[in-house]
PDB file of all heavy atoms in Angstrom:
ATOM      1  N   LEU O1474      -4.665   4.927   7.326  1.00 96.00           N
ATOM      2  CA  LEU O1474      -5.083   6.327   7.326  1.00 96.00           C
ATOM      3  C   LEU O1474      -4.128   7.204   6.527  1.00 96.00           C
ATOM      4  O   LEU O1474      -4.523   8.259   6.007  1.00 96.00           O
ATOM      5  CB  LEU O1474      -5.209   6.845   8.759  1.00 96.00           C
ATOM      6  CG  LEU O1474      -6.255   6.139   9.626  1.00 96.00           C
ATOM      7  CD1 LEU O1474      -6.291   6.753  11.017  1.00 96.00           C
ATOM      8  CD2 LEU O1474      -7.634   6.201   8.979  1.00 96.00           C
ATOM      9  N   LEU O1475      -2.879   6.796   6.410  1.00 95.00           N
ATOM     10  CA  LEU O1475      -1.901   7.546   5.624  1.00 95.00           C
ATOM     11  C   LEU O1475      -1.968   7.224   4.131  1.00 95.00           C
ATOM     12  O   LEU O1475      -1.349   7.899   3.320  1.00 95.00           O
ATOM     13  CB  LEU O1475      -0.483   7.238   6.132  1.00 95.00           C
ATOM     14  CG  LEU O1475      -0.045   7.922   7.423  1.00 95.00           C
ATOM     15  CD1 LEU O1475       1.187   7.236   7.997  1.00 95.00           C
ATOM     16  CD2 LEU O1475       0.231   9.405   7.169  1.00 95.00           C
ATOM     17  N   SER O1476      -2.704   6.188   3.792  1.00 93.00           N
ATOM     18  CA  SER O1476      -2.758   5.741   2.396  1.00 93.00           C
ATOM     19  C   SER O1476      -3.615   6.667   1.549  1.00 93.00           C
ATOM     20  O   SER O1476      -4.305   7.562   2.049  1.00 93.00           O
ATOM     21  CB  SER O1476      -3.311   4.313   2.332  1.00 93.00           C
ATOM     22  OG  SER O1476      -4.707   4.306   2.601  1.00 93.00           O
ATOM     23  N   GLY O1477      -3.589   6.426   0.260  1.00 92.00           N
ATOM     24  CA  GLY O1477      -4.364   7.242  -0.671  1.00 92.00           C
ATOM     25  C   GLY O1477      -5.781   6.743  -0.892  1.00 92.00           C
ATOM     26  O   GLY O1477      -6.471   7.238  -1.792  1.00 92.00           O
ATOM     27  N   LYS O1478      -6.233   5.777  -0.098  1.00 94.00           N
ATOM     28  CA  LYS O1478      -7.596   5.271  -0.239  1.00 94.00           C
ATOM     29  C   LYS O1478      -8.615   6.363   0.077  1.00 94.00           C
ATOM     30  O   LYS O1478      -8.340   7.276   0.867  1.00 94.00           O
ATOM     31  CB  LYS O1478      -7.816   4.082   0.700  1.00 94.00           C
ATOM     32  CG  LYS O1478      -7.091   2.801   0.308  1.00 94.00           C
ATOM     33  CD  LYS O1478      -7.420   1.683   1.284  1.00 94.00           C
ATOM     34  CE  LYS O1478      -6.757   0.381   0.879  1.00 94.00           C
ATOM     35  NZ  LYS O1478      -7.290  -0.139  -0.400  1.00 94.00           N
ATOM     36  N   PRO O1479      -9.799   6.302  -0.522  1.00 95.00           N
ATOM     37  CA  PRO O1479     -10.863   7.254  -0.173  1.00 95.00           C
ATOM     38  C   PRO O1479     -11.157   7.203   1.321  1.00 95.00           C
ATOM     39  O   PRO O1479     -11.098   6.132   1.939  1.00 95.00           O
ATOM     40  CB  PRO O1479     -12.060   6.751  -1.001  1.00 95.00           C
ATOM     41  CG  PRO O1479     -11.448   6.004  -2.147  1.00 95.00           C
ATOM     42  CD  PRO O1479     -10.205   5.359  -1.582  1.00 95.00           C
ATOM     43  N   GLU O1480     -11.468   8.347   1.907  1.00 95.00           N
ATOM     44  CA  GLU O1480     -11.646   8.448   3.346  1.00 95.00           C
ATOM     45  C   GLU O1480     -12.710   7.483   3.869  1.00 95.00           C
ATOM     46  O   GLU O1480     -12.509   6.812   4.884  1.00 95.00           O
ATOM     47  CB  GLU O1480     -12.013   9.885   3.737  1.00 95.00           C
ATOM     48  CG  GLU O1480     -10.973  10.934   3.339  1.00 95.00           C
ATOM     49  CD  GLU O1480      -9.639  10.720   4.018  1.00 95.00           C
ATOM     50  OE1 GLU O1480      -9.591  10.075   5.087  1.00 95.00           O
ATOM     51  OE2 GLU O1480      -8.623  11.186   3.476  1.00 95.00           O
ATOM     52  N   ILE O1481     -13.839   7.400   3.192  1.00 95.00           N
ATOM     53  CA  ILE O1481     -14.905   6.539   3.679  1.00 95.00           C
ATOM     54  C   ILE O1481     -14.512   5.073   3.591  1.00 95.00           C
ATOM     55  O   ILE O1481     -14.941   4.253   4.405  1.00 95.00           O
ATOM     56  CB  ILE O1481     -16.219   6.800   2.899  1.00 95.00           C
ATOM     57  CG1 ILE O1481     -17.406   6.199   3.652  1.00 95.00           C
ATOM     58  CG2 ILE O1481     -16.114   6.284   1.484  1.00 95.00           C
ATOM     59  CD1 ILE O1481     -17.644   6.828   5.010  1.00 95.00           C
ATOM     60  N   GLU O1482     -13.644   4.731   2.616  1.00 96.00           N
ATOM     61  CA  GLU O1482     -13.169   3.349   2.515  1.00 96.00           C
ATOM     62  C   GLU O1482     -12.266   3.001   3.691  1.00 96.00           C
ATOM     63  O   GLU O1482     -12.291   1.874   4.202  1.00 96.00           O
ATOM     64  CB  GLU O1482     -12.425   3.141   1.197  1.00 96.00           C
ATOM     65  CG  GLU O1482     -12.046   1.695   0.942  1.00 96.00           C
ATOM     66  CD  GLU O1482     -11.405   1.472  -0.404  1.00 96.00           C
ATOM     67  OE1 GLU O1482     -11.560   2.331  -1.295  1.00 96.00           O
ATOM     68  OE2 GLU O1482     -10.725   0.432  -0.568  1.00 96.00           O
ATOM     69  N   LYS O1483     -11.460   3.963   4.132  1.00 97.00           N
ATOM     70  CA  LYS O1483     -10.614   3.743   5.310  1.00 97.00           C
ATOM     71  C   LYS O1483     -11.477   3.420   6.527  1.00 97.00           C
ATOM     72  O   LYS O1483     -11.171   2.507   7.297  1.00 97.00           O
ATOM     73  CB  LYS O1483      -9.766   4.985   5.593  1.00 97.00           C
ATOM     74  CG  LYS O1483      -8.779   5.356   4.501  1.00 97.00           C
ATOM     75  CD  LYS O1483      -8.076   6.657   4.845  1.00 97.00           C
ATOM     76  CE  LYS O1483      -7.156   7.113   3.717  1.00 97.00           C
ATOM     77  NZ  LYS O1483      -6.501   8.406   4.024  1.00 97.00           N
ATOM     78  N   VAL O1484     -12.552   4.186   6.690  1.00 97.00           N
ATOM     79  CA  VAL O1484     -13.453   3.966   7.817  1.00 97.00           C
ATOM     80  C   VAL O1484     -14.071   2.579   7.731  1.00 97.00           C
ATOM     81  O   VAL O1484     -14.164   1.857   8.735  1.00 97.00           O
ATOM     82  CB  VAL O1484     -14.548   5.048   7.858  1.00 97.00           C
ATOM     83  CG1 VAL O1484     -15.577   4.738   8.942  1.00 97.00           C
ATOM     84  CG2 VAL O1484     -13.928   6.421   8.103  1.00 97.00           C
ATOM     85  N   LYS O1485     -14.489   2.181   6.536  1.00 97.00           N
ATOM     86  CA  LYS O1485     -15.107   0.861   6.367  1.00 97.00           C
ATOM     87  C   LYS O1485     -14.136  -0.255   6.734  1.00 97.00           C
ATOM     88  O   LYS O1485     -14.518  -1.247   7.366  1.00 97.00           O
ATOM     89  CB  LYS O1485     -15.579   0.698   4.926  1.00 97.00           C
ATOM     90  CG  LYS O1485     -16.807   1.534   4.581  1.00 97.00           C
ATOM     91  CD  LYS O1485     -17.211   1.346   3.129  1.00 97.00           C
ATOM     92  CE  LYS O1485     -18.453   2.169   2.793  1.00 97.00           C
ATOM     93  NZ  LYS O1485     -18.846   2.027   1.368  1.00 97.00           N
ATOM     94  N   TRP O1486     -12.855  -0.102   6.336  1.00 97.00           N
ATOM     95  CA  TRP O1486     -11.849  -1.114   6.676  1.00 97.00           C
ATOM     96  C   TRP O1486     -11.670  -1.214   8.188  1.00 97.00           C
ATOM     97  O   TRP O1486     -11.593  -2.304   8.750  1.00 97.00           O
ATOM     98  CB  TRP O1486     -10.515  -0.775   6.014  1.00 97.00           C
ATOM     99  CG  TRP O1486     -10.370  -1.310   4.628  1.00 97.00           C
ATOM    100  CD1 TRP O1486     -10.487  -0.621   3.449  1.00 97.00           C
ATOM    101  CD2 TRP O1486     -10.079  -2.665   4.261  1.00 97.00           C
ATOM    102  NE1 TRP O1486     -10.293  -1.455   2.377  1.00 97.00           N
ATOM    103  CE2 TRP O1486     -10.042  -2.722   2.840  1.00 97.00           C
ATOM    104  CE3 TRP O1486      -9.857  -3.837   4.974  1.00 97.00           C
ATOM    105  CZ2 TRP O1486      -9.773  -3.897   2.145  1.00 97.00           C
ATOM    106  CZ3 TRP O1486      -9.596  -5.015   4.294  1.00 97.00           C
ATOM    107  CH2 TRP O1486      -9.560  -5.040   2.898  1.00 97.00           C
ATOM    108  N   LEU O1487     -11.591  -0.069   8.860  1.00 97.00           N
ATOM    109  CA  LEU O1487     -11.413  -0.063  10.314  1.00 97.00           C
ATOM    110  C   LEU O1487     -12.610  -0.691  11.020  1.00 97.00           C
ATOM    111  O   LEU O1487     -12.446  -1.508  11.947  1.00 97.00           O
ATOM    112  CB  LEU O1487     -11.198   1.368  10.811  1.00 97.00           C
ATOM    113  CG  LEU O1487      -9.869   2.037  10.439  1.00 97.00           C
ATOM    114  CD1 LEU O1487      -9.886   3.513  10.818  1.00 97.00           C
ATOM    115  CD2 LEU O1487      -8.698   1.334  11.124  1.00 97.00           C
ATOM    116  N   LEU O1488     -13.817  -0.319  10.586  1.00 97.00           N
ATOM    117  CA  LEU O1488     -15.015  -0.847  11.234  1.00 97.00           C
ATOM    118  C   LEU O1488     -15.179  -2.346  10.966  1.00 97.00           C
ATOM    119  O   LEU O1488     -15.556  -3.101  11.866  1.00 97.00           O
ATOM    120  CB  LEU O1488     -16.250  -0.090  10.749  1.00 97.00           C
ATOM    121  CG  LEU O1488     -16.306   1.408  11.078  1.00 97.00           C
ATOM    122  CD1 LEU O1488     -17.631   2.008  10.618  1.00 97.00           C
ATOM    123  CD2 LEU O1488     -16.104   1.666  12.563  1.00 97.00           C
ATOM    124  N   THR O1489     -14.880  -2.761   9.740  1.00 98.00           N
ATOM    125  CA  THR O1489     -14.993  -4.181   9.403  1.00 98.00           C
ATOM    126  C   THR O1489     -14.011  -5.015  10.222  1.00 98.00           C
ATOM    127  O   THR O1489     -14.366  -6.069  10.775  1.00 98.00           O
ATOM    128  CB  THR O1489     -14.733  -4.404   7.902  1.00 98.00           C
ATOM    129  OG1 THR O1489     -15.694  -3.661   7.142  1.00 98.00           O
ATOM    130  CG2 THR O1489     -14.836  -5.880   7.551  1.00 98.00           C
ATOM    131  N   ALA O1490     -12.763  -4.536  10.303  1.00 97.00           N
ATOM    132  CA  ALA O1490     -11.759  -5.250  11.099  1.00 97.00           C
ATOM    133  C   ALA O1490     -12.152  -5.272  12.572  1.00 97.00           C
ATOM    134  O   ALA O1490     -11.954  -6.279  13.270  1.00 97.00           O
ATOM    135  CB  ALA O1490     -10.397  -4.587  10.922  1.00 97.00           C
ATOM    136  N   GLY O1491     -12.716  -4.162  13.054  1.00 98.00           N
ATOM    137  CA  GLY O1491     -13.140  -4.104  14.448  1.00 98.00           C
ATOM    138  C   GLY O1491     -14.240  -5.101  14.755  1.00 98.00           C
ATOM    139  O   GLY O1491     -14.200  -5.807  15.767  1.00 98.00           O
ATOM    140  N   VAL O1492     -15.243  -5.178  13.888  1.00 98.00           N
ATOM    141  CA  VAL O1492     -16.339  -6.122  14.080  1.00 98.00           C
ATOM    142  C   VAL O1492     -15.819  -7.555  14.040  1.00 98.00           C
ATOM    143  O   VAL O1492     -16.225  -8.413  14.841  1.00 98.00           O
ATOM    144  CB  VAL O1492     -17.437  -5.904  13.025  1.00 98.00           C
ATOM    145  CG1 VAL O1492     -18.464  -7.038  13.076  1.00 98.00           C
ATOM    146  CG2 VAL O1492     -18.130  -4.560  13.243  1.00 98.00           C
ATOM    147  N   ALA O1493     -14.887  -7.823  13.110  1.00 98.00           N
ATOM    148  CA  ALA O1493     -14.309  -9.167  13.006  1.00 98.00           C
ATOM    149  C   ALA O1493     -13.592  -9.547  14.299  1.00 98.00           C
ATOM    150  O   ALA O1493     -13.725 -10.681  14.789  1.00 98.00           O
ATOM    151  CB  ALA O1493     -13.347  -9.227  11.828  1.00 98.00           C
ATOM    152  N   GLY O1494     -12.837  -8.603  14.867  1.00 98.00           N
ATOM    153  CA  GLY O1494     -12.140  -8.861  16.126  1.00 98.00           C
ATOM    154  C   GLY O1494     -13.102  -9.185  17.254  1.00 98.00           C
ATOM    155  O   GLY O1494     -12.868 -10.107  18.054  1.00 98.00           O
ATOM    156  N   LEU O1495     -14.213  -8.455  17.315  1.00 98.00           N
ATOM    157  CA  LEU O1495     -15.208  -8.698  18.361  1.00 98.00           C
ATOM    158  C   LEU O1495     -15.862 -10.067  18.201  1.00 98.00           C
ATOM    159  O   LEU O1495     -16.021 -10.809  19.181  1.00 98.00           O
ATOM    160  CB  LEU O1495     -16.277  -7.603  18.319  1.00 98.00           C
ATOM    161  CG  LEU O1495     -15.840  -6.199  18.754  1.00 98.00           C
ATOM    162  CD1 LEU O1495     -16.986  -5.220  18.570  1.00 98.00           C
ATOM    163  CD2 LEU O1495     -15.384  -6.201  20.200  1.00 98.00           C
ATOM    164  N   ILE O1496     -16.234 -10.401  16.974  1.00 98.00           N
ATOM    165  CA  ILE O1496     -16.905 -11.677  16.730  1.00 98.00           C
ATOM    166  C   ILE O1496     -15.984 -12.844  17.080  1.00 98.00           C
ATOM    167  O   ILE O1496     -16.383 -13.796  17.773  1.00 98.00           O
ATOM    168  CB  ILE O1496     -17.370 -11.772  15.264  1.00 98.00           C
ATOM    169  CG1 ILE O1496     -18.494 -10.768  14.999  1.00 98.00           C
ATOM    170  CG2 ILE O1496     -17.835 -13.190  14.942  1.00 98.00           C
ATOM    171  CD1 ILE O1496     -18.915 -10.676  13.549  1.00 98.00           C
ATOM    172  N   ILE O1497     -14.727 -12.770  16.599  1.00 98.00           N
ATOM    173  CA  ILE O1497     -13.791 -13.867  16.859  1.00 98.00           C
ATOM    174  C   ILE O1497     -13.438 -13.946  18.345  1.00 98.00           C
ATOM    175  O   ILE O1497     -13.420 -15.023  18.944  1.00 98.00           O
ATOM    176  CB  ILE O1497     -12.517 -13.706  16.012  1.00 98.00           C
ATOM    177  CG1 ILE O1497     -12.862 -13.757  14.522  1.00 98.00           C
ATOM    178  CG2 ILE O1497     -11.497 -14.797  16.347  1.00 98.00           C
ATOM    179  CD1 ILE O1497     -11.704 -13.407  13.618  1.00 98.00           C
ATOM    180  N   GLY O1498     -13.161 -12.783  18.955  1.00 98.00           N
ATOM    181  CA  GLY O1498     -12.767 -12.755  20.363  1.00 98.00           C
ATOM    182  C   GLY O1498     -13.843 -13.290  21.283  1.00 98.00           C
ATOM    183  O   GLY O1498     -13.596 -14.162  22.125  1.00 98.00           O
ATOM    184  N   PHE O1499     -15.078 -12.789  21.127  1.00 98.00           N
ATOM    185  CA  PHE O1499     -16.164 -13.249  21.998  1.00 98.00           C
ATOM    186  C   PHE O1499     -16.597 -14.666  21.628  1.00 98.00           C
ATOM    187  O   PHE O1499     -17.068 -15.418  22.492  1.00 98.00           O
ATOM    188  CB  PHE O1499     -17.345 -12.286  21.927  1.00 98.00           C
ATOM    189  CG  PHE O1499     -17.143 -11.035  22.741  1.00 98.00           C
ATOM    190  CD1 PHE O1499     -16.790  -9.838  22.140  1.00 98.00           C
ATOM    191  CD2 PHE O1499     -17.268 -11.066  24.122  1.00 98.00           C
ATOM    192  CE1 PHE O1499     -16.591  -8.684  22.887  1.00 98.00           C
ATOM    193  CE2 PHE O1499     -17.068  -9.916  24.888  1.00 98.00           C
ATOM    194  CZ  PHE O1499     -16.724  -8.731  24.267  1.00 98.00           C
ATOM    195  N   GLY O1500     -16.413 -15.037  20.352  1.00 98.00           N
ATOM    196  CA  GLY O1500     -16.690 -16.414  19.958  1.00 98.00           C
ATOM    197  C   GLY O1500     -15.747 -17.382  20.634  1.00 98.00           C
ATOM    198  O   GLY O1500     -16.160 -18.454  21.105  1.00 98.00           O
ATOM    199  N   MET O1501     -14.469 -17.024  20.706  1.00 98.00           N
ATOM    200  CA  MET O1501     -13.494 -17.859  21.396  1.00 98.00           C
ATOM    201  C   MET O1501     -13.803 -17.948  22.884  1.00 98.00           C
ATOM    202  O   MET O1501     -13.583 -18.983  23.518  1.00 98.00           O
ATOM    203  CB  MET O1501     -12.080 -17.297  21.190  1.00 98.00           C
ATOM    204  CG  MET O1501     -11.543 -17.426  19.778  1.00 98.00           C
ATOM    205  SD  MET O1501      -9.898 -16.692  19.599  1.00 98.00           S
ATOM    206  CE  MET O1501      -8.917 -17.785  20.645  1.00 98.00           C
ATOM    207  N   ASP O1502     -14.323 -16.858  23.455  1.00 97.00           N
ATOM    208  CA  ASP O1502     -14.603 -16.822  24.889  1.00 97.00           C
ATOM    209  C   ASP O1502     -15.619 -17.883  25.289  1.00 97.00           C
ATOM    210  O   ASP O1502     -15.516 -18.481  26.371  1.00 97.00           O
ATOM    211  CB  ASP O1502     -15.123 -15.432  25.270  1.00 97.00           C
ATOM    212  CG  ASP O1502     -15.437 -15.307  26.752  1.00 97.00           C
ATOM    213  OD1 ASP O1502     -14.567 -15.679  27.565  1.00 97.00           O
ATOM    214  OD2 ASP O1502     -16.539 -14.852  27.095  1.00 97.00           O
ATOM    215  N   VAL O1503     -16.575 -18.145  24.426  1.00 97.00           N
ATOM    216  CA  VAL O1503     -17.626 -19.110  24.774  1.00 97.00           C
ATOM    217  C   VAL O1503     -17.340 -20.506  24.229  1.00 97.00           C
ATOM    218  O   VAL O1503     -18.134 -21.428  24.446  1.00 97.00           O
ATOM    219  CB  VAL O1503     -18.999 -18.630  24.248  1.00 97.00           C
ATOM    220  CG1 VAL O1503     -19.395 -17.334  24.905  1.00 97.00           C
ATOM    221  CG2 VAL O1503     -18.992 -18.490  22.720  1.00 97.00           C
ATOM    222  N   THR O1504     -16.189 -20.672  23.558  1.00 97.00           N
ATOM    223  CA  THR O1504     -15.894 -21.978  22.970  1.00 97.00           C
ATOM    224  C   THR O1504     -14.573 -22.586  23.442  1.00 97.00           C
ATOM    225  O   THR O1504     -14.537 -23.739  23.878  1.00 97.00           O
ATOM    226  CB  THR O1504     -15.873 -21.895  21.435  1.00 97.00           C
ATOM    227  OG1 THR O1504     -14.935 -20.883  21.016  1.00 97.00           O
ATOM    228  CG2 THR O1504     -17.255 -21.582  20.891  1.00 97.00           C
ATOM    229  N   ILE O1505     -13.475 -21.831  23.364  1.00 96.00           N
ATOM    230  CA  ILE O1505     -12.169 -22.454  23.582  1.00 96.00           C
ATOM    231  C   ILE O1505     -11.247 -21.707  24.528  1.00 96.00           C
ATOM    232  O   ILE O1505     -10.562 -22.323  25.354  1.00 96.00           O
ATOM    233  CB  ILE O1505     -11.451 -22.648  22.218  1.00 96.00           C
ATOM    234  CG1 ILE O1505     -10.138 -23.407  22.401  1.00 96.00           C
ATOM    235  CG2 ILE O1505     -11.242 -21.315  21.508  1.00 96.00           C
ATOM    236  CD1 ILE O1505      -9.491 -23.818  21.102  1.00 96.00           C
TER     237      ILE O1505
END
Side-chain angles (χ1 to χ4, degrees):
L1474 298 181
L1475 283 164
S1476 73
K1478 289 182 177 294
E1480 301 298 337
I1481 196 63
E1482 187 176 341
K1483 297 176 184 178
V1484 174
K1485 288 179 179 179
W1486 273 103
L1487 290 171
L1488 297 184
T1489 300
V1492 170
L1495 290 176
I1496 292 174
I1497 298 172
F1499 282 102
M1501 291 178 66
D1502 180 50
V1503 297
T1504 55
I1505 185 171

